[in-house]
Amino acid sequence: MARPRDCSYSVAPEYRRLGLARTLMDFLERLSTDVHKGYFVDLYYVRQSDSSAIDIYKKLGYSLYRQVIGYYNNMEDAYGMRNALP
């Protein structure tokens, strides 16, 4: 079976703190379990300096599972985050 893929998503500053990230992640997780029978959701990737995004994902049950050295053009590291699905 083909592995589901997604793109890079972000929420515009004027729409932050409205629960949109939670809604989007809930949808992607339901899609992963109900349609694709997935076991976990990986986030590729979160900037190491983006503490707001990291905090949101941790609140949603995601954990850091790897670090990618120099992933971004400015050589900033990225974190891979993962959430096991029910």
Side-chain angles (χ1 to χ4, degrees):
M1 174 166 65
R3 184 175 164 187
R5 307 241 182 232
D6 63 17
C7 299
S8 179
Y9 299 99
S10 63
V11 176
E14 62 269 24
Y15 293 101
R16 292 182 182 157
R17 307 195 68 76
L18 298 175
L20 296 175
R22 178 177 298 277
T23 300
L24 177 61
M25 295 311 296
D26 286 346
F27 171 76
L28 292 174
E29 289 175 5
R30 278 196 317 276
L31 183 66
S32 294
T33 56
D34 297 347
V35 175
H36 298 289
K37 309 301 184 215
Y39 300 106
F40 55 85
V41 172
D42 285 336
L43 299 174
Y44 296 113
Y45 290 99
V46 180
R47 286 184 180 274
Q48 183 178 6
S49 64
D50 194 348
S51 58
S52 295
I54 293 168
D55 289 344
I56 288 169
Y57 293 128
K58 283 183 175 180
K59 287 178 186 173
L60 294 173
Y62 287 76
S63 59
L64 301 175
Y65 77 97
R66 69 175 168 172
Q67 182 176 3
V68 182
I69 306 297
Y71 178 78
Y72 292 99
N73 288 340
N74 66 353
M75 299 309 294
E76 182 178 357
D77 295 351
Y79 288 135
M81 299 187 76
R82 176 175 280 179
N83 188 16
L85 299 173

